[in-house]
Amino acid sequence: MTESSARKASPDGGASTDHVAQTDSWAHLGPMMERGGSDYPELVAQMRRVQDSFVVAHLPAALVPEFAEQLGGLADRLAEYKAEESAAPAGSRLDLPGRGHPFLLPHIVDQWSDTRVEARVTFTPFHLGGNGAAHGGSLPLLFDEVLGRLANSSGRNVARTAYIHVNYRHITPVGKQLRLEATLDREEGRKRYASGRLLDGNVVVSDAEGLFVALRPGQP
């Protein structure tokens, strides 16, 4: 992927950081970053544009059937290429913000180690709750994605989320780049505890703590 492609996929113009280069536990997923080809970042960026444009649009009633038909036609075309979960690019492109999945917050990783993550994230109109603030439900999604991946990194056995507790300290603004910090704090047997903080400048707008439990053999 070229630098220009990475920038197109980022809502704030910043290039994504390759997670695989920063933690060996994802190295076996390297071939996944070729899924969708070199133009896939642009496809994801345009999908995010559709989401943002949809939630702020107030179409004249006469145009609603036309737009519904166009979107339906696009959905039909995409359905022709349905793949198995393990083969689809969305969610597996670790080189892209939010793993190239439009559902996930498009965070851009600046540092990823065995126990710490530093990233940037911009909430877009798609995540708007009201009055310029991000929807409260989008914050647990962001923390679960980052804390969960951190708990599963560095060759650790796969773990699933047991709980995420989020504290809402201040309004989380839409359209402004925020800083995300996360740490893997301790491990106790199968239990892994992680925490994260989302900052607007020096102000913590929210923080979270999560518990992730390693799966036993045979557990899905």
Side-chain angles (χ1 to χ4, degrees):
M1 184 188 69
T2 64
E3 181 179 359
S4 60
S5 296
R7 293 185 184 278
K8 289 179 181 178
S10 168
D12 62 0
S16 67
T17 300
D18 183 350
H19 295 194
V20 173
Q22 299 176 40
T23 175
D24 59 4
S25 67
W26 302 99
H28 69 288
L29 301 179
M32 289 185 177
M33 291 190 293
E34 300 176 1
R35 290 180 178 178
S38 60
D39 291 327
Y40 188 74
E42 177 66 9
L43 178 62
V44 176
Q46 294 305 324
M47 183 64 211
R48 293 191 189 280
R49 282 192 63 206
V50 170
Q51 292 178 154
D52 287 337
S53 298
F54 180 89
V55 298
V56 299
H58 185 186
L59 295 173
L63 291 180
V64 170
E66 174 187 343
F67 276 78
E69 182 178 1
Q70 291 177 351
L71 289 174
L74 180 58
D76 289 340
R77 288 200 62 193
L78 289 170
E80 296 176 11
Y81 301 93
K82 182 179 179 180
E84 295 295 329
E85 175 185 338
S86 59
S92 66
R93 287 292 299 261
L94 303 181
D95 55 323
L96 301 181
R99 291 190 282 137
H101 198 306
F103 178 65
L104 299 176
L105 276 294
H107 59 285
I108 301 169
V109 175
D110 294 315
Q111 176 186 337
W112 194 293
S113 70
D114 291 353
T115 58
R116 182 175 177 81
V117 175
E118 294 183 7
R120 292 165 285 143
V121 61
T122 302
F123 290 76
T124 69
F126 182 66
H127 310 110
L128 178 66
N131 295 325
H135 192 290
S138 62
L139 293 165
L141 174 63
L142 174 63
F143 282 120
D144 189 41
E145 167 67 11
V146 175
L147 299 185
R149 286 200 57 213
L150 180 57
N152 280 281
S153 65
S154 299
R156 301 179 182 95
N157 293 335
V158 174
R160 291 199 179 277
T161 308
Y163 69 73
I164 292 281
H165 178 86
V166 178
N167 298 304
Y168 299 86
R169 307 294 186 183
H170 292 274
I171 294 298
T172 301
V174 168
K176 184 177 183 180
Q177 188 177 92
L178 308 175
R179 189 170 81 256
L180 177 66
E181 302 173 348
T183 54
L184 181 64
D185 300 321
R186 68 186 190 277
E187 298 185 56
E188 298 175 358
R190 294 169 54 221
K191 297 180 179 179
R192 302 166 193 167
Y193 295 87
S195 60
R197 296 147 293 282
L198 186 64
L199 299 97
D200 179 4
N202 294 322
V203 176
V204 176
V205 297
S206 63
D207 54 58
E209 59 181 23
L211 168 62
F212 305 85
V213 180
L215 299 180
R216 292 190 176 96
Q219 283 187 304

